[in-house]
Amino acid sequence: LGHWLGTVNTDWNNASNWPCGVIPTGTDNVVIAGSLPFYPVISTGTSSVNNLIIQSGASLTVNNMLQLAGTINNSGIFDVNNGTIELNGTSIQTVPAAAFAGNKIKNLIISNDVTLAGQDSMTNVLSFGAVDNKTFSTGGYLTLKSTAAGTAIVADLTNSDVNSGNQVLGDVTAERYLSSIKKWRFLTVPTNS
């Protein structure tokens, strides 16, 4: 069911690109093989998968949102430079080293206990979903990037006015872009609330 055919176009949400004309859901394992006419792009809506396998020579581009409940096995290109990944499994999930193209991800939503196993850079927002008592273990591999266009942040870790017990464990490198113009600058921790 979850083998991308890519015979029509790059639209993930076009049922004709999937076996039996069925777009995968959060319980389906998805395999994207190499040597296909078109590779998927998620540009609209929220797409969901269980395990994701991107084989050598293949690619997946996420420009909107992809929910992952299982594992990431990437031997190709997994481009989330302009998209959002939500990790929402029921058992601990690990983001493997070199999972994302250029080790960059725009937005990451933690809705499960997650461990980072290799260097990754956030360019926008790291946040927690509508969950309580979840942990994101960085292993010291996370960098919050900062450029002239903007600075990545860690959003409020709670989902309401009370502390929900969500936490980021491990060192996080926070960059702060400074223009070459000489002037006074105040630096703060890149978090909301």
Side-chain angles (χ1 to χ4, degrees), residues 19-53:
C20 302
V22 179
I23 299 168
T25 66
T27 58
D28 295 319
N29 298 325
V30 170
V31 177
I32 303 168
S35 302
L36 297 175
F38 299 101
Y39 291 103
V41 176
I42 299 172
S43 296
T44 60
T46 298
S47 300
S48 301
V49 301
N50 184 34
N51 296 318
L52 177 65
I53 300 169

Side-chain angles (χ1 to χ4, degrees), residues 174-190:
E175 294 182 351
R176 183 65 182 122
Y177 173 80
L178 300 173
S179 67
S180 61
I181 300 171
K182 293 182 180 182
K183 58 184 170 183
W184 287 97
R185 294 177 178 88
F186 292 100
L187 301 179
T188 64
V189 178

Side-chain angles (χ1 to χ4, degrees), residues 10-179:
T10 63
D11 185 2
W12 174 284
N13 294 306
N14 183 337
S16 298
N17 283 314
W18 298 98
C20 302
V22 179
I23 299 168
T25 66
T27 58
D28 295 319
N29 298 325
V30 170
V31 177
I32 303 168
S35 302
L36 297 175
F38 299 101
Y39 291 103
V41 176
I42 299 172
S43 296
T44 60
T46 298
S47 300
S48 301
V49 301
N50 184 34
N51 296 318
L52 177 65
I53 300 169
I54 303 171
Q55 296 178 346
S56 179
S59 68
L60 170 59
T61 302
V62 179
N63 292 329
N64 206 43
M65 182 177 216
L66 176 64
Q67 295 174 321
L68 280 160
T71 61
I72 301 169
N73 184 338
N74 179 21
S75 298
I77 298 171
F78 189 13
D79 184 349
V80 289
N81 286 310
N82 294 309
T84 300
I85 298 295
E86 179 178 7
L87 297 169
N88 65 348
T90 56
S91 59
I92 295 174
Q93 291 176 270
T94 299
V95 177
F100 307 118
N103 296 324
K104 288 184 184 176
I105 182 170
K106 183 176 180 182
N107 298 306
L108 180 62
I109 301 171
I110 304 298
S111 294
N112 186 25
D113 292 319
V114 176
T115 299
L116 196 57
Q119 188 63 46
D120 276 309
S121 298
M122 298 286 312
T123 60
N124 197 37
V125 179
L126 168 65
S127 62
F128 282 83
V131 295
D132 292 329
N133 301 313
K134 298 301 177 189
T135 301
F136 179 46
S137 301
T138 70
Y141 294 119
L142 182 64
T143 299
L144 300 176
K145 299 298 284 182
S146 182
T147 66
T151 299
I153 63 169
V154 176
D156 187 356
L157 301 183
T158 63
N159 300 304
S160 64
D161 293 334
V162 297
N163 186 342
S164 60
N166 294 324
Q167 53 187 327
V168 177
L169 297 178
D171 292 340
V172 176
T173 300
E175 294 182 351
R176 183 65 182 122
Y177 173 80
L178 300 173
S179 67

